[in-house]
Amino acid sequence: MKLIFIHAAGPQGVNEGSTNLLQFLKQNLGKSMEIIAPEMPTPENPNAADWMDTLDAAIHKVDERIILMGHSLGASIIFKYLSERKCENGICGIISLAAPYWGLSDWQSEQFTIGCCLKETINPSIPIRLYHDFADDVVPYQHVNAYANALPQAEVIGVTGQGHLFEKGFPELIRVIQSLSTQNEKTIINP
């Protein structure tokens, strides 16, 4: 079992972007799970196709079940990827943190907008956890509701005190990852 983590847009240096969240995951998951966290191309000027290609390469390097986890733009890239490309790996869970839902008012970007119905491309038996801080000042909470409407099997978890960066992490996140990793049933995206 491996966790593929896709970071947010913007600088990813020390104490920037998703780096503190990633450190929290590494410290708390320890050796129980390998985390694959590819450096996404041009994070300060991201391109959807390039990011999906990088995610695709990370997925195809793994020959076992995976959990896909994304933060902010990284999460929306995971959903865009799964709506447009076939994934042969066994995916036992998807975890989204503060994902923008492209296409909402003030969030228009043709390259990041998902062009089809997500519930038709993601196997409904795959558990999806959508985490969003009620007071996120970068991506408003309404974005998680849009994902919940697009993905009926998703569980929405509103949190407080995490802001947009989720840099402090929280114990429930580790428990959910560990729980997903113990599932034995292999599910396929886009069968």
Side-chain angles (χ1 to χ4, degrees):
M1 174 68 57
K2 295 193 181 353
L3 173 73
I4 296 177
F5 178 83
I6 305 302
H7 64 69
Q12 298 299 312
V14 176
N15 295 323
E16 293 180 311
S18 303
T19 56
N20 290 336
L21 172 59
L22 183 57
Q23 284 307 111
F24 169 80
L25 294 170
K26 288 178 178 179
Q27 289 170 353
N28 287 278
L29 290 171
K31 295 180 181 180
S32 66
M33 177 172 295
E34 181 181 344
I35 299 173
I36 298 167
E39 185 176 326
M40 303 307 280
T42 60
E44 294 184 53
N45 186 22
N47 175 281
D50 293 343
W51 278 44
M52 288 195 302
D53 288 346
T54 302
L55 172 57
D56 190 60
I59 288 172
H60 284 94
K61 287 182 183 175
V62 177
D63 61 357
E64 58 188 275
R65 295 182 313 139
I66 56 176
I67 296 171
L68 293 174
M69 180 176 187
H71 175 225
S72 192
L73 181 65
S76 61
I77 286 294
I78 288 171
F79 289 124
K80 183 166 179 64
Y81 174 88
L82 296 175
S83 75
E84 295 180 9
R85 300 191 186 181
K86 188 173 178 83
C87 181
E88 301 292 342
N89 291 60
I91 297 177
C92 62
I94 301 168
I95 301 171
S96 165
L97 299 141
Y101 192 93
W102 298 95
L104 293 181
S105 175
D106 296 329
W107 287 83
Q108 302 294 319
S109 174
E110 188 174 321
Q111 71 168 317
F112 294 110
T113 299
I114 296 168
C116 69
C117 184
L118 278 175
K119 69 181 177 183
E120 293 174 6
T121 61
I122 297 178
N123 186 320
S125 66
I126 294 174
I128 301 173
R129 305 291 186 276
L130 305 170
Y131 289 91
H132 213 101
D133 192 298
F134 291 111
D136 188 328
D137 62 350
V138 177
V139 178
Y141 194 80
Q142 70 187 36
H143 288 250
V144 77
N145 292 330
Y147 275 109
N149 288 335
L151 296 162
Q153 78 267 37
E155 180 181 351
V156 174
I157 303 104
V159 298
T160 57
Q162 291 293 324
H164 180 68
L165 294 179
F166 281 78
E167 60 190 346
K168 300 173 196 169
F170 51 101
E172 178 190 336
L173 188 56
I174 300 303
R175 285 192 297 273
V176 165
I177 292 167
Q178 291 170 334
S179 172
L180 291 172
S181 72
T182 60
Q183 292 182 1
N184 294 320
E185 182 176 279
K186 182 176 178 178
T187 53
I188 304 288
I189 298 284
N190 301 334

